[in-house]
Amino acid sequence: MKAKLKIDDMVRDLNLNIIFKGDVESIDIDTSDLNRPGLQMAGFFEYFAVNRLQLFGMVEMNYLQNLDPIIKQERLDQFFASKVPCVLIGRNLTPPPEMVEAAKKHNTPILMSGLTTTKLSHRTTIYLDRVLAPSISRHAGLMDVYGVGIMLMGDSGVGKSETALELVKRSHRLVADDVVEIIKLSDNQLVGQSPEVIRHMMEIRGLGIIDVRTLYGVGAVLVEKSIELAVNLELGDPMNIDRLGLYQEFITLLGVKVPIITIPVRPGRNLAIIIEVAAMNFRLKSMGHITAEQLDNKLLSIIAPDSTKNS
């Protein structure tokens, strides 16, 4: 996946300093891999990964300092002429004047960090993985209930926000209300968060918009949470519900299968308590304890001797 990454956003998020920016507002990135250009500084430009962010550490900078000035200028000019997207420098190492001149000539940003090269590489890779991750938005809510990320789904007006508010009152944590931005971080991991403009806010019919963090404290909210279970709230008495829990249904989000359960919404039902039990039951199932299967096995053990006698 290709993404446009704003230089100012990267500087803010990675706590970088700008050595040179020019008139570049954003860069095109299609991989989270970084390139250490030691070979290029030595003059080997075949198989040069020009599409990656270029990371200079202690080794590359010391090698540059010891190069003949003419050779140094030629290699840096060839390096920046390749149109690399951006240069990162670790350990707050001062770039040689030839590097800054070549960057200005080819309008390539140079950014600096006080982190060691290894830590800067690790942090930047994680950051780019998130920037490049596939994402979608869904009309839903997201709660952390007993450590389980539960996405609340259902038609508008079914009571998702009121249920989420009751869960907050019961010391669980709100991640998103009404809109969930879902990011695929790996083949089987989805992370949900709220759009920044409505983060920690909730719409309650009759009250309007409330700020959950202000009302209930910072312990009542989370910025993001892994999505492990989906709960569909449905009015009335939905058909084809597995009343025993022997069969597991799934929804697919960004190619990842997420378990889903349907809870009927009727007057007098305490949905918050039911969702709490759903979270605890999900954790039990993940540890191999499936109550419905145990009951099924007990019934079969009772029935089996009778069937043997009748035969």
Side-chain angles (χ1 to χ4, degrees):
M1 180 179 175
K2 198 167 188 176
K4 273 196 174 300
L5 178 57
K6 291 184 178 180
I7 295 295
D8 290 341
D9 289 346
M10 185 166 64
V11 168
R12 180 195 65 227
D13 297 337
L14 293 176
N15 193 26
L16 303 173
N17 296 313
I18 298 176
I19 301 298
F20 172 75
K21 179 183 176 185
D23 58 3
V24 179
E25 296 298 328
S26 61
I27 56 177
D28 292 328
I29 293 293
D30 58 9
T31 177
S32 61
D33 295 331
L34 307 181
N35 182 61
R36 297 287 298 270
L39 286 174
Q40 286 72 51
M41 296 303 99
F44 185 78
F45 282 86
E46 292 185 43
Y47 309 108
F48 178 23
V50 295
N51 61 323
R52 301 179 184 180
L53 294 187
Q54 307 295 313
L55 177 60
F56 282 77
M58 183 74 75
V59 173
E60 292 83 6
M61 297 300 281
N62 280 340
Y63 182 81
L64 273 177
Q65 296 290 356
N66 294 321
L67 273 180
D68 179 82
I70 296 177
I71 296 176
K72 182 194 305 183
Q73 186 172 1
E74 289 176 351
R75 291 193 181 154
L76 284 170
D77 189 70
Q78 185 177 358
F79 172 78
F80 283 99
S82 302
K83 299 299 180 184
V84 296
C86 182
V87 169
L88 298 178
I89 300 175
R91 295 180 177 271
N92 280 336
L93 296 170
T94 303
E98 295 88 346
M99 175 181 283
V100 178
E101 290 174 10
K104 290 179 178 179
K105 177 181 177 182
H106 298 283
N107 201 32
T108 303
I110 300 179
L111 309 176
M112 177 187 288
S113 170
L115 295 175
T116 63
T117 314
T118 300
K119 288 183 178 179
L120 178 59
S121 174
H122 179 66
R123 182 176 293 184
T124 305
T125 299
I126 293 175
Y127 175 73
L128 293 178
D129 276 337
R130 181 173 287 272
V131 170
L132 295 170
S135 63
I136 56 173
S137 294
R138 286 290 182 267
H139 173 61
L142 182 58
M143 296 291 304
D144 175 2
V145 182
Y146 294 132
V148 179
I150 297 182
M151 188 165 73
L152 298 178
M153 304 172 62
D155 295 334
S156 182
V158 76
K160 298 186 296 296
S161 296
E162 289 81 356
T163 302
L165 182 60
E166 179 65 24
L167 287 167
V168 169
K169 288 177 60 181
R170 298 174 67 88
S171 301
H172 304 293
R173 294 183 288 182
L174 171 74
V175 182
D177 178 62
D178 198 48
V179 177
V180 181
E181 293 180 343
I182 303 170
I183 303 170
K184 182 180 180 181
L185 291 185
S186 64
D187 291 340
N188 59 358
Q189 184 185 12
L190 299 176
V191 170
Q193 61 184 13
S194 171
E196 187 172 358
V197 69
I198 58 171
R199 185 164 295 162
H200 306 147
M201 296 182 183
M202 184 181 289
E203 180 194 358
I204 303 296
R205 281 175 168 78
L207 291 181
I209 305 297
I210 65 171
D211 188 332
V212 174
R213 183 176 62 177
T214 301
L215 287 174
Y216 293 94
V218 294
V221 295
L222 279 178
V223 173
E224 64 181 29
K225 179 67 181 175
S226 294
I227 299 174
E228 298 163 281
L229 178 66
V231 172
N232 181 43
L233 302 180
E234 193 166 329
L235 286 171
D237 195 4
M239 303 296 292
N240 303 321
I241 289 183
D242 178 19
R243 297 182 63 180
L244 296 179
L246 285 170
Y247 305 101
Q248 181 66 70
E249 295 184 352
F250 296 88
I251 59 170
T252 301
L253 301 169
L254 293 172
V256 179
K257 293 175 69 175
V258 178
I260 183 171
I261 60 176
T262 298
I263 297 178
V265 177
R266 294 196 297 268
R269 298 199 84 190
N270 193 322
L271 298 178
I273 291 179
I274 295 173
I275 290 173
E276 284 181 337
V277 174
M280 291 186 288
N281 196 49
F282 174 82
R283 295 182 66 176
L284 276 177
K285 284 184 176 180
S286 66
M287 293 185 287
H289 184 96
I290 304 176
T291 306
E293 287 186 1
Q294 291 182 354
L295 175 60
D296 190 46
N297 292 334
K298 287 181 181 179
L299 291 175
L300 288 175
S301 66
I302 293 172
I303 295 171
D306 294 337
S307 61
T308 304
K309 291 178 183 177
N310 292 335
S311 63

